[in-house]
């Protein structure tokens, strides 16, 4: 998890070794949500960044809590199973909700609070939380994976979802103009959650660059963000030889923290050539990860990226330039 341990607040970041020592996948994902770099810098109001911790003591206590969860994750696994999540965003909400209920930092007041007017749903507040100091915060959580499809323009619109149904500039506008202001609306006051609530955006994820070559980042993006690569199927044979010998397809719910596998799961690894055969059965972009073996026998993720159809770059550039009012 070392490439992601950038710190979620202004306090000193926890040691990469301590985070990397976490083994359980769900616990590592919670740690990644709390400590990985934000995708965005702070934006115009109300685009304040969420800070999960108020003090170094809360950081230290949260690390202790994560290690305890890692030693005995049964209750966490039961919570995830009961939630029956199938979407990445809901999975992330499930994990962050568990931390807010069970962890030593801010406490959960309410989650997924719907806001309605005349029977019409205006939106849903992801999390209402209260800090130990008494601050009442409205968090909007987003976990995103965007591929850079531009040609050096340095614009947020150049970052597109792998299936070309989402774009970073549109997501940011929706956050700033619709989601974050929900808790300040007149209709919200009638729900009984005493305010005022300070809105904050909790935006995590990965940005992927063609063949791992980073472009000039837009000013909105945090320069420490988690990075990956993307390549076309035609380019894959030459690209894969520079990465690793062991590869694995990553299901959608494994798109958060860098993965760790023990020797019992090593049978799921394939060579670059075998992975190419698996990709022949895929119709769209596919996330894969390269693994290396550690001295203790664990396999850890070295890098991750998307392999896309050969016509994807042209379609992605068109989508990035599409004028839309969404």
């Amino acid at each position: 998890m070392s490439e992601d341990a950038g710190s979620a607040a202004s306090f000193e970041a926890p040691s990469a070794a301590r985070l990397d020592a976490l083994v359980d996948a769900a616990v590592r994902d919670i740690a990644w949500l709390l400590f990985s770099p934000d995708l965005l810098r702070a934006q115009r109001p109300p685009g304040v960044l969420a800070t999960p911790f108020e003090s170094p003591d809360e950081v230290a206590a949260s690390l202790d809590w994560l290690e305890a969860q890692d030693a005995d994750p049964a209750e966490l696994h039961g919570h995830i199973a009961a939630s029956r999540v199938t979407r990445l965003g809901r999975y992330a909400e499930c994990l962050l909700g568990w931390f807010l209920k069970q962890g030593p930092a801010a406490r959960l007041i309410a989650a997924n609070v719907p806001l309605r007017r005349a029977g019409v749903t205006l939106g849903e507040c992801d999390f209402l939380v209260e800090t130990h100091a008494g601050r009442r915060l409205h968090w909007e959580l987003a976990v995103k994976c965007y591929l850079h499809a531009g040609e050096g323009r340095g614009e947020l619109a150049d970052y597109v979802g792998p299936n070309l149904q989402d774009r970073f500039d549109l997501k940011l506008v929706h956050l700033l103009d619709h989601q974050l202001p929900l808790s300040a609306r007149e209709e919200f006051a009638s729900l009984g959650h005493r305010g005022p609530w300070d809105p904050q955006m909790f935006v995590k994820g990965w940005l992927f660059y063609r063949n791992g070559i980073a472009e000039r980042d837009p000013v909105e993006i945090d320069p420490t963000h988690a990075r990956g690569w993307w390549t076309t199927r035609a380019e894959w044979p030459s690209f894969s030889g520079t990465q690793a010998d062991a590869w694995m397809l990553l299901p959608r719910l494994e798109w958060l923290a860098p993965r760790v596998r023990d020797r019992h799961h090593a049978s799921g690894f394939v060579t670059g050539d075998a992975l190419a055969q698996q990709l022949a059965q895929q119709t769209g972009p596919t996330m894969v990860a390269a693994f290396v073996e550690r001295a203790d026998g664990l396999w850890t993720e070295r890098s991750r990226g998307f392999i896309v159809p050969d016509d994807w770059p042209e379609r992605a550039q068109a989508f990035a330039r599409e004028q839309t009012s969404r």
Side-chain angles (χ1 to χ4, degrees), residues 1-2 4-19 34-37 53 56 59-60 63:
M1 203 177 300
S2 56
D4 288 338
S7 180
S10 57
F11 313 116
E12 183 178 353
S15 70
R18 196 167 175 187
L19 293 175
L34 297 175
F35 293 110
S36 69
F53 312 108
V59 174
L63 287 168

Side-chain angles (χ1 to χ4, degrees), residues 3 10 25 27 40 54 62 72-73 89 92 97 125 129 144 180 185 192 215 252 266 312 324:
E3 69 253 47
S10 57
V27 175
L40 293 167
E54 283 189 317
S62 296
D72 185 8
C125 297
V129 306
K144 292 295 179 180
L180 289 168
R185 293 185 63 119
E215 297 285 344
R252 188 172 292 270
W312 187 90
T324 177

Side-chain angles (χ1 to χ4, degrees), residues 164 230 232-234 283-285 308-318:
L164 305 183
W230 66 266
T232 65
R233 292 183 184 176
T283 58
V308 303
D310 293 335
D311 66 344
W312 187 90
E314 183 178 356
R315 292 188 290 114
Q317 288 183 14

Side-chain angles (χ1 to χ4, degrees), residues 115-131:
L115 187 62
R116 299 185 178 93
R117 181 176 60 195
V120 176
T121 299
L122 303 175
E124 187 177 88
C125 297
D126 288 344
F127 294 100
L128 301 178
V129 306
E130 185 173 37
T131 70

Side-chain angles (χ1 to χ4, degrees), residues 182-310:
L182 284 173
S183 56
R185 293 185 63 119
E186 180 181 347
E187 297 87 352
F188 189 83
S190 66
L191 297 179
H193 298 297
R194 178 181 59 83
W197 298 91
D198 293 332
Q200 297 181 344
M201 58 183 187
F202 204 119
V203 184
K204 302 288 183 170
W206 295 75
L207 301 181
F208 299 84
Y209 299 86
R210 188 164 194 173
N211 295 326
I213 301 173
E215 297 285 344
R216 177 167 55 107
D217 291 327
V219 295
E220 297 94 339
I221 290 178
D222 187 322
T224 66
H225 66 269
R227 297 171 183 264
W229 46 265
W230 66 266
T231 190
T232 65
R233 292 183 184 176
E235 295 168 337
W236 167 249
S238 58
F239 178 79
S240 62
T242 66
Q243 297 295 313
D245 293 329
W247 295 89
M248 183 177 287
L249 296 177
L250 287 187
R252 188 172 292 270
L253 295 189
E254 296 190 23
W255 288 10
L256 300 186
R259 300 290 98 185
V260 171
R261 293 286 193 275
D262 60 26
R263 58 178 56 88
H264 300 296
H265 295 90
S267 60
F269 295 132
V270 296
T271 64
D273 291 340
L275 184 59
Q277 296 177 11
Q278 293 183 7
L279 291 171
Q281 305 173 26
Q282 306 288 325
T283 58
T286 304
M287 189 188 285
V288 303
F291 285 81
V292 294
E293 187 176 11
R294 296 193 324 205
D296 60 4
L298 290 177
W299 290 76
T300 59
E301 180 182 320
R302 177 183 179 183
S303 72
R304 66 172 55 184
F306 280 92
I307 304 173
V308 303
D310 293 335

